[in-house]
Amino acid sequence: MMMQDELEAGYDFSGIRALVVGLAREGTSLARFLAEHHAHVTATDVKPAKALAASLSALDELPITFALGGHPLGLLDDVDIVFVSPGVPLEIPLVEEARCRNIPLSSETRLFARLCPALVVGITGSSGKTTTTTLVGKMLQGAGRPTWVGGNIGQPLIGSLEEIQPAEVVVLELSSFQLDLFAPQPEVVEQVAGHPVEAVFDPSGWSPEISAILNITPNHLDRHVTMEAYAAAKAHVLAYAQPGDIAVLNLDDPVTRKLGQHLRQEGLLWFSLEREVDRGAYLRGDQLVLHVSDREKVICRTDELKLLGRHNVANMLAACAISAAAGATVEVLRDVATSFSAVTHRLELVREWRGTRWYNDSIATAPERTVAALNAFEAPIVLLAGGRDKKLLWDEMATLTWRKARHVILFGEAAGLIDEAMRRTAPDGGEAGARTVIHHAETLEQAVDLAANVAQRGNVVLLSPGGTSFDAYQDYEQRGEHFRQLVEALE
């Protein structure tokens, strides 16, 4: 964190030459923040200006130099620090060259964490991040503590820094892409226009005061390539914890369980669906139980939860352990646990139509998430799946689809891969002998039309793609919004 006198004086980055790589949501917010606080800002993106109209409009009239349509290496010639947006791979030539020149790398998330005066809660995991982050935000608000929620969800918080007070709390959802740059960087000691570069860049590693890893399972291997690299990025959230910091981990996940063996036990809380824990939250029969300060308290029963699926019971336990660590009482945990129904695009009921229930689970960008969604329902399912593959395995999802779905409608780039997995895992008798019918659609619109034709009364129609949205949409939110519009338009 900055010194108190620096906070009171505001942020002044005069003379610091910053390069922002990537003009999506975080890059745009960061470029604005730096320019408004007197840094010399250059922003670059591989997309041309026409494709960046919204971002450029948001930065209009600010003294920012733009290099669009590519990342020329010459941009590094007069740069003190490079800020890399989460969607930009760290292996691109521009970033690799910055490393070779020993130019420090940072990000909007890292800079925000460096400057934030409030307690930071950081939550990551392969699945469940957004639901758990939202739950923690509501629990801490219910406890009477002013709370900001951001990171990988909502709007970047860098522009709200001057509003955030030390007595407040910030809850951040953190993706592996954001955590990539939380590791230590080469020491930078030179002065720039009278300012240490460390005024905007702390070369040491950083972890939040309260960190949580919900699970680590195969995901984003199109970016990280190996599970080892992916897990290492996730582990950054707690790898640089200081004495007095708290970690909340999943006892049921073998990777996070192993990570916990290397942490200070006095700062460690667990959550579990499968066994009781001495410190944290767990499921005992049908009861969610909180065990802290050598006392057990029942939060609620599973049948009182409005969230669907066993995976969401785990998310609720994690949220309770995290929120209790930040000071929330069991009464507040119970109020939120028994009233919270869904986060947008996460097993969200869109509409009941002709005796069928239509659910939007566009956040399911990995096959594992689709497995969790399929397991959340007992009714026969019409599954809409597809999108862009992340080089993950589809067989488990395909096997479960044969059991849970009456129809599966495949769309997008991954349709062929899922079709192959379905045929590879077909039950005895082959596809012709199975009750599940496989359909193909070119677009989500066609998939919804097909679903409307084949769904029968009592069925669940479930958009749970298993792939990313980037083959057709800006992000999973845009895909989910389109699905909602299509469903609401059904006559």
Side-chain angles (χ1 to χ4, degrees):
M1 294 183 189
M2 295 188 73
M3 299 297 292
Q4 188 62 37
D5 57 349
E6 292 177 281
L7 288 168
E8 291 172 353
Y11 308 108
D12 182 3
F13 303 138
S14 297
I16 291 179
R17 301 164 298 178
L19 175 63
V20 177
V21 185
L23 280 172
R25 184 170 53 189
E26 286 194 17
T28 301
S29 295
L30 176 61
R32 168 172 286 280
F33 174 78
L34 292 171
E36 288 177 340
H37 293 85
H38 316 301
H40 298 298
V41 180
T42 300
T44 180
D45 198 292
V46 293
K47 295 178 181 177
K50 184 177 180 180
L52 296 166
S55 296
L56 297 179
S57 176
L59 300 174
D60 194 28
E61 299 181 359
L62 287 169
I64 297 174
T65 301
F66 295 97
L68 306 177
H71 297 314
L73 298 185
L75 292 173
L76 300 173
D77 292 344
D78 296 302
V79 165
D80 301 309
I81 184 168
V82 176
F83 291 94
V84 187
S85 297
V88 177
L90 298 182
E91 295 74 27
I92 67 170
L94 183 71
V95 177
E96 292 283 5
E97 179 64 17
R99 291 187 194 276
C100 290
R101 299 189 192 187
N102 205 30
I103 300 173
L105 303 177
S106 190
S107 65
E108 182 272 338
T109 307
R110 179 164 179 149
L111 179 61
F112 173 82
R114 163 83 169 121
L115 301 177
C116 181
L119 170 72
V120 176
V121 177
I123 300 171
T124 193
S126 300
S127 60
K129 295 186 299 296
T130 301
T131 296
T132 305
T133 300
T134 304
L135 283 167
V136 171
K138 291 186 176 296
M139 288 171 177
L140 296 183
Q141 289 166 355
R145 189 158 186 181
T147 302
W148 301 76
V149 177
N152 199 42
I153 58 174
Q155 291 300 312
L157 294 178
I158 193 79
S160 301
L161 263 174
E162 287 163 318
E163 302 174 51
I164 298 173
Q165 301 300 311
E168 298 173 350
V169 62
V170 173
V171 185
L172 296 179
E173 176 188 326
L174 296 170
S175 71
S176 60
F177 299 170
Q178 291 168 315
L179 289 167
D180 258 333
L181 288 172
F182 275 37
Q185 300 282 331
E187 193 82 28
V188 179
V189 297
E190 67 267 22
Q191 301 277 324
V192 178
H195 295 275
V197 174
E198 292 175 359
V200 291
F201 180 77
D202 180 355
S204 61
W206 179 85
S207 293
E209 290 90 335
I210 300 177
S211 301
I213 305 182
L214 306 179
N215 42 60
I216 299 180
T217 55
N219 205 340
H220 294 300
L221 298 188
D222 54 335
R223 165 85 172 251
H224 295 286
V225 182
T226 67
M227 265 301 293
E228 290 75 14
Y230 173 63
K234 289 291 189 187
H236 286 162
V237 77
L238 51 83
Y240 312 106
Q242 301 299 309
D245 290 350
I246 294 172
V248 178
L249 298 176
N250 184 351
L251 190 60
D252 305 333
D253 182 281
V255 182
T256 56
R257 187 166 62 246
K258 186 175 181 179
L259 286 174
Q261 296 172 1
H262 304 285
L263 299 178
R264 295 176 302 101
Q265 296 306 297
E266 64 272 18
L268 180 59
L269 300 178
W270 297 100
F271 67 94
S272 175
L273 290 170
E274 300 174 0
R275 66 197 86 179
E276 298 187 6
V277 301
D278 292 332
R279 299 184 70 233
Y282 62 89
L283 185 65
R284 181 172 60 199
D286 66 346
Q287 293 181 326
L288 282 73
V289 179
L290 180 70
H291 191 171
V292 293
S293 302
D294 296 325
R295 297 181 63 186
E296 284 187 352
K297 292 186 178 181
V298 175
I299 301 164
C300 65
R301 300 188 313 274
T302 53
D303 61 6
E304 295 179 281
L305 299 177
K306 290 183 167 50
L307 284 172
L308 298 173
R310 185 173 172 84
H311 66 294
N312 273 324
V313 179
N315 293 336
M316 188 65 73
L317 290 169
C320 289
I322 297 164
S323 300
T329 65
V330 71
E331 290 75 22
V332 169
L333 306 184
R334 182 180 300 119
D335 287 344
V336 174
T338 57
S339 62
F340 185 81
S341 57
V343 179
T344 306
H345 310 303
R346 294 151 188 85
L347 287 181
E348 172 197 17
L349 178 62
V350 176
R351 184 182 181 188
E352 294 191 21
W353 180 78
R354 294 185 179 176
T356 59
R357 289 174 294 150
W358 294 64
Y359 284 88
N360 169 19
D361 193 41
S362 183
I363 185 64
T365 59
E368 179 191 30
R369 290 190 171 193
T370 303
V371 168
L374 289 168
N375 280 323
F377 299 99
E378 295 299 328
I381 295 171
V382 178
L383 175 65
L384 281 62
R388 175 169 290 173
D389 176 51
K390 294 196 286 188
K391 301 201 181 301
L392 303 175
L393 299 177
W394 295 93
D395 285 21
E396 181 185 3
M397 173 188 142
T399 299
L400 185 62
T401 300
W402 285 115
R403 290 200 296 108
K404 302 284 288 189
R406 294 288 175 85
H407 296 269
V408 56
I409 302 170
L410 306 177
F411 65 94
E413 291 179 4
L417 289 171
I418 303 173
D419 186 281
E420 291 174 8
M422 290 290 295
R423 298 180 190 283
R424 189 166 56 245
T425 60
D428 293 343
E431 183 191 347
R435 70 174 188 172
T436 304
V437 181
I438 301 173
H439 309 265
H440 282 260
E442 292 295 324
T443 63
L444 184 58
E445 293 96 323
Q446 292 182 13
V448 169
D449 287 342
L450 264 172
N453 287 329
V454 302
Q456 299 179 2
R457 185 172 294 276
N459 287 178
V460 164
V461 181
L462 173 65
L463 171 68
S464 190
T468 73
S469 59
F470 301 130
D471 56 342
Y473 299 93
Q474 177 179 329
D475 51 33
Y476 74 84
E477 293 172 323
Q478 188 182 62
R479 178 173 62 188
E481 289 295 336
H482 191 203
F483 176 73
R484 181 188 290 113
Q485 294 167 8
L486 293 169
V487 173
E488 290 175 345
L490 292 172
E491 296 181 358

